[in-house]
Amino acid sequence: MANNGDSVLEMYLYETNSLLEQLDDIMLAAEQADTFSQEDVNEIFRIMHTLKGSAAMMEFEPLMTLAHRIEDLFYLIRERTMSVIPEDDKPKLFNLLFKFIDYFRAQVENIESGKPLSNDIDNFVSIINTVIDKINGVDTKKDENTQESTSAPQSSAVSGYPYTLNIYLDEGCGMENLRAFMIVNDIRQCCSDFVTEPEDIDDSAVAPSIAKDGFKLHFSTITDRENAVKIVETLGFVKNFEEVDNVDATEQNDSSDKVESQPEVKKEEEKKVVQETVQKAPAPAPAPTSKPKAQPAKENSTPQGHQIKQSLISVNLSKLDQLMAVVGEIVITEAMVTASPDLKGLEGVKLDNFNKSARQLRKLTDELQDISMSLRMVPVSGTFQKMRRIVRDMGQKLGKRARLTIVGEDTEIDKTIVDAIGDPIMHIVRNSMDHGIETDESMRIAAGKNPEGEIILSAQNTGSEVIIKIEDDGTGVDTDAVLAKAIRQGIANPDVEYSKREILNFLMMPGFSTNTEVTEFSGRGVGMDVVKKNVEAVSGVVIMTSEFGKGSCTTLKIPLTTAIMDGMEVAVGESIFTIPIQNIRQSFKATDEDIIHDAMKGEMICKMDNFYPVLRLHERYGLTPRAEKTEDGIFVWVETSEDSYCLFVDELLGEQQVVIKPLPSYLNTFGIKESGIVGCTILGDGNISLILDVSNLISSDSGYSMF
Amino acid sequence: MSDENMLFATEEQQESYNKEQEVEEVATRKYLTFRTDNLLFGIEAEIVMEIITNYSATYVPMVPSYVRGIINLRGQIIPLLDMRQKLSIEPMDTDCIIVIDVEDVRIGILVDAVSQIIDIPIDSILSVPQHNAQKYVSGMCTMPDNSGTMLVLDCPLLLAN
């Protein structure tokens, strides 16, 4: 296994993974339709061909062989349409391909983790061979016809000249017959003993056929051909050429691949297939479901003709981070310039031009910021589409019928979030399939539901956070059973009465699983707690709701990672704090009479027929407020997905776009994050403002704990 | 062969030259000295990034009092440590900050006054007597001009909580 440098390997892995993903999409769509359209077949054929080519380049022998065999199979299907596959065998074919994808994925993972490849592909190959044989058996007569009309490898051998050189010219180079004639003349200079096919190569009548299928030179000796190859290699308008030996199969049999029963013919076919793809490969329309992806430059062993040219490039994520950092600095600097204290001394002076330019600058920096942020955004569709496969596989294994409905797959979210939520979503979908959807369809019918289960996967971008919902219409969670189990496991206290939401939260405790049996998919008790941990890693929250008998819904709420955000500057004493605009619901004035005291000396205020706790920021942080009386200050009603309360501050200073800077790591050793300060930002005048984390601020204050 | 000999000769020369240099480098070390109250401290000049004045710190709540807050040093947010309070000395209004970089952690130290940069022979730095070991001091030495005794500040220890 020779790895020709890491970058090539990286490219290979990236390319192979995206091809497998694409293949998966096609397969799922095809299985739904229960057949392959001609377009699918072409696409699969192309993918297999590329997989084979790149595997060969990387010298991953088993992968190459396997892809090659599938390619052969699809070659047959392509030539003779889907009708060669008997109706009964279609599911087998689908399963075969799914297995193939899984095998390939597993192998690619092995490569990624540096493990050796498994060579155990005989089983696979024999299954594929059976299918191929079957097709050949079904339709031998047609087979002969096709062989003759499309490739006719036997006919290309001219007796006495067994060494053939096939030459293909650049597409659209024009005057193909003359160019071919020039080549032939050039070659004549070094060797004369060869024949051309077509014979009258300079006749303008054969130009179209040369343009389409190239032309052939048949040599009597191999050295002649080698000399010819040297000449052909130097010519600019030759796109591609290949050497084909029409020597009797038995002569070279020993050197060939053992897996193949008829090595020479196979080789022939492969060669032809190469030609086929190079020449005919129609710019394949990307599968409708697949997201646009940067296609790296192909590095195949076979020269690729016209790949679809996508105007996409792949960029290292760290470069985007750097860009974001610079843009952040620009935003701060812009604010520093336009709000410079020096300008205050210029009152009365006309600053029209300055103001005009400043406005323009502001507009441009806003634009720059939007673009640089959008660079990191990718649609969730890739992650979502993977779930189709999981639903399908599990449905088959568990004997449950379920369909996956995807809503809002175009929603774009930050790349780091997409990576972080892949596993959690998979866990939840598995849970829904395993625990949610009823095993027995009659149970569903009895409950008045569609016998086919439904899982809805939806994504939504609210502007401040991404909401991902996984809903199923299965049995839902039996809260009594969960509570009983929680008590048994010692997580819950039997004397305490828990709310439904609290009981559901037990499900997210480490090691908790209601499934009595451990299955292949779930029941090991690792699941929801991992989900929770992963989502919390990107500072998101997991909310579970469920109605027994009707289904359950898991919601992941993840804040958009924006290094730049809109904030409200508020002053408390000498300090300035920033409250994220998205958390602010309202600000209002109130007097002491509006405040209601509770027994714990806590304060509450009534807004819109609801009571909300009051948090005085100066008390919380031990500051000396300028607003000593309640009516002097102002209340900011803030809310997050969990909490809602009123923050009492001295005054509002105004809204500002701020760049979030992390606090120095030294300060984090004091647990400052837990006390509600998430970062800081530099204001236009160079002062520092601390950014408040609205949810941590109240939960860290024990007196106002929500639970 | 002659080439090799030449090379060898050059290397040898270089080595001996290097050795001479090293002897000199090892012998002394540059220290930046500063005063806090009546104490004279020295910090290895290597880790000192810069000395700044006239920076106002932004108060940060929920931290020990010796953390004066954070300062904005040309876009970088740097915590500010009050040397006096760290040593439990009565705080005083000073504005002289030494910015140091200890293992990639940048921090500002608020001191009374910065004195000078001085070469100290390494041999002259003595360990602190066990029973009256000062906090955050890794060694001490008499100033070459006999103007007093310098306490060598142990910066990693200063930052550890």
Side-chain angles (χ1 to χ4, degrees):
Chain A
M1 210 151 307
N3 294 349
N4 330 350
D6 273 356
S7 64
V8 179
L9 181 65
E10 210 168 272
M11 194 74 89
Y12 169 76
L13 292 173
Y14 176 78
E15 188 190 64
T16 306
N17 275 329
S18 41
L19 285 173
L20 288 175
E21 226 163 80
Q22 209 179 337
L23 192 61
D24 219 15
D25 288 346
I26 298 172
M27 285 308 299
L28 286 164
E31 196 185 44
Q32 208 82 37
D34 201 27
T35 185
F36 289 111
S37 67
Q38 196 62 28
E39 208 177 287
D40 289 343
V41 175
N42 283 336
E43 190 66 21
I44 294 172
F45 182 75
R46 189 187 70 81
I47 291 172
M48 286 305 163
H49 180 71
T50 317
L51 285 178
K52 182 193 75 181
S54 38
M57 178 190 69
M58 300 304 294
E59 293 171 34
F60 297 141
E61 205 72 39
L63 297 186
M64 187 194 79
T65 317
L66 204 54
H68 184 180
R69 295 308 290 162
I70 302 262
E71 187 188 345
D72 288 346
L73 172 63
F74 272 83
Y75 173 70
L76 289 172
I77 297 174
R78 189 170 76 155
E79 289 301 306
R80 283 173 255 172
T81 72
M82 256 321 261
S83 58
V84 293
I85 307 286
E87 202 58 42
D88 307 343
D89 283 353
K90 273 183 189 167
K92 274 191 207 158
L93 180 64
F94 290 131
N95 274 334
L96 175 70
L97 272 153
F98 278 123
K99 269 193 195 145
F100 166 81
I101 294 169
D102 288 343
Y103 173 81
F104 231 88
R105 279 227 172 100
Q107 295 302 307
V108 167
E109 266 169 36
N110 278 352
I111 296 167
E112 272 171 5
S113 51
K115 285 183 212 151
L117 292 174
S118 91
N119 280 307
D120 186 23
I121 55 164
D122 293 352
N123 196 15
F124 252 120
V125 173
S126 70
I127 297 173
I128 301 165
N129 282 342
T130 331
V131 179
I132 294 178
D133 288 349
K134 209 165 183 181
I135 295 170
N136 282 332
V138 166
D139 209 345
T140 21
K141 213 173 164 191
K142 212 175 165 189
D143 186 25
E144 278 165 26
N145 290 341
T146 12
Q147 286 256 331
E148 228 161 285
S149 61
T150 56
S151 66
Q154 276 77 25
S155 76
S156 71
V158 177
S159 60
Y161 299 96
Y163 299 100
T164 303
L165 182 65
N166 294 353
I167 299 174
Y168 307 102
L169 301 178
D170 271 344
E171 270 161 54
C173 66
M175 295 187 292
E176 285 80 5
N177 54 327
L178 289 179
R179 286 176 198 275
F181 186 66
M182 277 163 62
I183 296 173
V184 170
N185 266 348
D186 283 348
I187 296 170
R188 276 229 165 86
Q189 286 169 7
C190 69
C191 57
S192 52
D193 194 13
F194 66 92
V195 294
T196 61
E197 181 188 339
E199 274 170 38
D200 42 355
I201 207 151
D202 56 338
D203 186 349
S204 61
V206 299
S209 85
I210 292 175
K212 191 169 162 281
D213 297 326
F215 65 99
K216 295 188 176 75
L217 302 174
H218 302 290
F219 297 91
S220 60
T221 65
I222 200 154
T223 35
D224 277 355
R225 188 177 65 185
E226 275 164 12
N227 289 333
V229 164
K230 278 179 199 145
I231 293 167
V232 172
E233 270 172 346
T234 59
L235 295 171
F237 45 83
V238 173
K239 185 170 75 181
N240 183 14
F241 61 85
E242 59 189 22
E243 297 157 54
V244 181
D245 296 347
N246 294 303
V247 187
D248 198 317
T250 49
E251 276 181 35
Q252 297 192 338
N253 207 359
D254 48 348
S255 67
S256 293
D257 210 329
K258 278 174 204 142
V259 199
E260 294 166 0
S261 47
Q262 297 168 284
E264 218 31 64
V265 176
K266 279 292 158 256
K267 218 175 201 170
E268 195 79 23
E269 196 175 5
E270 184 189 343
K271 288 271 158 70
K272 182 173 54 60
V273 156
V274 173
Q275 164 200 351
E276 205 77 42
T277 359
V278 170
Q279 296 238 318
K280 289 187 193 161
T289 48
S290 72
K291 58 181 171 184
K293 267 202 158 175
Q295 292 259 359
K298 303 278 177 193
E299 294 194 33
N300 293 343
S301 56
T302 49
Q304 291 283 324
H306 286 249
Q307 281 293 334
I308 12 156
K309 280 213 178 94
Q310 283 180 304
S311 50
L312 297 172
I313 57 163
S314 37
V315 180
N316 194 328
L317 203 57
S318 68
K319 282 195 184 168
L320 293 183
D321 289 340
Q322 278 172 17
L323 179 69
M324 277 310 294
V326 174
V327 170
E329 293 299 320
I330 290 179
V331 171
I332 293 176
T333 316
E334 184 246 14
M336 278 182 174
V337 172
T338 53
S340 169
D342 295 354
L343 292 171
K344 293 208 174 79
L346 296 176
E347 265 162 56
V349 182
K350 261 192 152 193
L351 287 171
D352 286 357
N353 283 327
F354 176 82
N355 286 334
K356 207 171 138 196
S357 310
R359 267 200 305 279
Q360 177 72 6
L361 180 64
R362 169 75 191 225
K363 199 175 142 251
L364 289 175
T365 46
D366 278 358
E367 235 167 79
L368 179 65
Q369 190 192 321
D370 284 350
I371 294 169
S372 55
M373 301 245 254
S374 71
L375 291 181
R376 296 176 54 96
M377 303 297 243
V378 291
V380 289
S381 57
T383 310
F384 277 20
Q385 290 300 337
K386 277 187 200 146
M387 302 307 144
R388 284 197 190 281
R389 182 68 199 282
I390 285 162
V391 170
R392 175 205 172 265
D393 283 0
M394 287 190 68
Q396 266 191 357
K397 282 248 168 64
L398 301 169
K400 295 177 180 179
R401 275 204 299 147
R403 67 171 183 280
L404 181 72
T405 311
I406 290 177
V407 181
E409 61 175 328
D410 300 331
T411 309
E412 289 197 327
I413 50 180
D414 194 283
K415 174 83 174 101
T416 44
I417 299 183
V418 172
D419 291 346
I421 58 170
D423 281 352
I425 294 179
M426 194 170 75
H427 271 299
I428 299 166
V429 170
R430 281 184 173 169
N431 272 345
S432 287
M433 280 302 288
D434 205 7
H435 312 288
I437 308 290
E438 293 87 342
T439 325
D440 200 346
E441 273 181 22
S442 57
M443 276 169 71
R444 291 185 61 86
I445 296 164
K449 296 183 210 171
N450 187 335
E452 189 183 26
E454 184 173 30
I455 295 174
I456 304 169
L457 189 55
S458 66
Q460 193 194 351
N461 186 342
T462 63
S464 64
E465 52 189 2
V466 185
I467 297 173
I468 292 176
K469 265 190 190 166
I470 302 105
E471 284 172 84
D472 68 70
D473 63 349
T475 49
V477 177
D478 184 351
T479 42
D480 293 340
V482 172
L483 184 60
K485 177 140 192 205
I487 292 170
R488 235 185 4 260
Q489 293 199 337
I491 303 169
N493 186 343
D495 303 327
V496 180
E497 226 173 272
Y498 291 96
S499 72
K500 207 173 158 190
R501 188 173 164 180
E502 285 168 304
I503 294 171
L504 288 174
N505 280 338
F506 288 132
L507 292 174
M508 290 189 264
M509 298 275 199
F512 190 94
S513 172
T514 49
N515 214 13
T516 37
E517 284 166 55
V518 171
T519 69
E520 184 189 341
F521 302 108
S522 46
R524 289 187 192 86
V526 286
M528 286 315 285
D529 62 311
V530 176
V531 167
K532 197 174 174 218
K533 228 164 80 192
N534 284 4
V535 173
E536 277 171 358
V538 286
S539 45
V541 288
V542 185
I543 300 159
M544 287 177 77
T545 53
S546 176
E547 202 161 329
F548 189 51
K550 283 193 179 159
S552 47
C553 172
T554 312
T555 312
L556 314 181
K557 282 191 184 179
I558 300 148
L560 289 172
T561 49
T562 46
I564 302 173
M565 63 161 196
D566 287 319
M568 176 64 79
E569 304 296 332
V570 299
V572 179
E574 297 295 306
S575 301
I576 299 170
F577 296 93
T578 305
I579 305 171
I581 284 279
Q582 74 218 29
N583 291 129
I584 299 180
R585 192 158 163 194
Q586 207 181 54
S587 59
F588 58 90
K589 287 259 181 193
T591 58
D592 279 328
E593 282 86 67
D594 298 325
I595 291 175
I596 300 134
H597 295 266
D598 66 13
M600 307 283 291
K601 286 199 170 173
E603 292 175 315
M604 280 179 295
I605 206 155
C606 178
K607 284 302 278 182
M608 296 188 183
D609 297 332
N610 243 325
F611 289 97
Y612 296 100
V614 169
L615 185 77
R616 291 182 193 255
L617 203 57
H618 63 89
E619 284 178 6
R620 179 83 178 77
Y621 284 154
L623 301 165
T624 324
R626 274 175 290 152
E628 278 162 21
K629 281 183 268 175
T630 307
E631 48 268 34
D632 291 340
I634 192 161
F635 288 90
V636 183
W637 183 3
V638 291
E639 64 178 2
T640 63
S641 50
E642 285 177 325
D643 311 296
S644 184
Y645 60 96
C646 298
L647 207 56
F648 180 74
V649 297
D650 284 359
E651 64 170 322
L652 300 182
L653 298 176
E655 192 195 331
Q656 198 179 6
Q657 207 169 39
V658 298
V659 180
I660 304 173
K661 285 187 175 271
L663 286 167
S665 53
Y666 176 71
L667 292 182
N668 288 339
T669 55
F670 301 112
I672 192 161
K673 277 208 171 120
E674 285 69 45
S675 58
I677 294 169
V678 74
C680 57
T681 185
I682 297 169
L683 300 176
D685 56 6
N687 280 330
I688 301 169
S689 161
L690 299 172
I691 301 170
L692 297 178
D693 177 353
V694 172
S695 58
N696 258 343
L697 189 62
I698 188 131
S699 59
S700 63
D701 198 47
S702 53
Y704 296 110
S705 175
M706 295 295 278
F707 299 110
Chain B
M1 274 323 226
S2 62
D3 264 13
E4 236 179 334
N5 276 338
M6 267 262 273
L7 201 71
F8 189 67
T10 335
E11 249 172 32
E12 207 173 36
Q13 274 170 4
Q14 202 140 13
E15 235 166 58
S16 59
Y17 175 76
N18 276 352
K19 252 180 205 157
E20 279 166 31
Q21 292 287 97
E22 258 169 44
V23 169
E24 259 181 15
E25 267 173 28
V26 167
T28 65
R29 193 175 278 163
K30 280 191 186 341
Y31 280 91
L32 174 75
T33 61
F34 64 87
R35 287 195 173 275
T36 290
D37 206 24
N38 55 0
L39 299 165
L40 183 69
F41 284 100
I43 306 180
E44 276 176 52
E46 266 178 29
I47 61 164
V48 175
M49 305 307 295
E50 59 188 306
I51 300 160
I52 50 174
T53 51
N54 271 330
Y55 269 82
S56 61
T58 303
Y59 173 76
V60 177
M62 319 304 275
V63 290
S65 62
Y66 58 80
V67 179
R68 273 293 188 99
I70 46 182
I71 55 169
N72 167 19
L73 180 66
R74 294 184 297 275
Q76 263 190 315
I77 309 287
I78 292 172
L80 185 60
L81 213 68
D82 187 341
M83 203 57 206
R84 282 177 162 263
Q85 294 197 44
K86 186 81 180 169
L87 297 171
S88 313
I89 301 169
E90 205 43 36
M92 203 178 82
D93 261 348
T94 54
D95 69 345
C96 191
I97 300 165
I98 302 173
V99 180
I100 57 169
D101 186 330
V102 187
E103 288 149 20
D104 284 334
V105 177
R106 284 201 177 191
I107 193 163
I109 303 175
L110 191 65
V111 300
D112 287 5
V114 174
S115 321
Q116 58 177 325
I117 291 185
I118 189 168
D119 283 322
I120 304 269
I122 288 183
D123 300 347
S124 69
I125 298 177
L126 308 168
S127 57
V128 189
Q130 200 81 63
H131 60 275
N132 56 359
Q134 273 275 1
K135 259 183 183 176
Y136 319 119
V137 174
S138 62
M140 52 205 300
C141 81
T142 311
M143 295 290 276
D145 56 359
N146 282 325
S147 61
T149 305
M150 182 188 84
L151 303 168
V152 179
L153 195 64
D154 188 338
C155 291
L157 197 66
L158 188 73
L159 300 195
N161 288 301

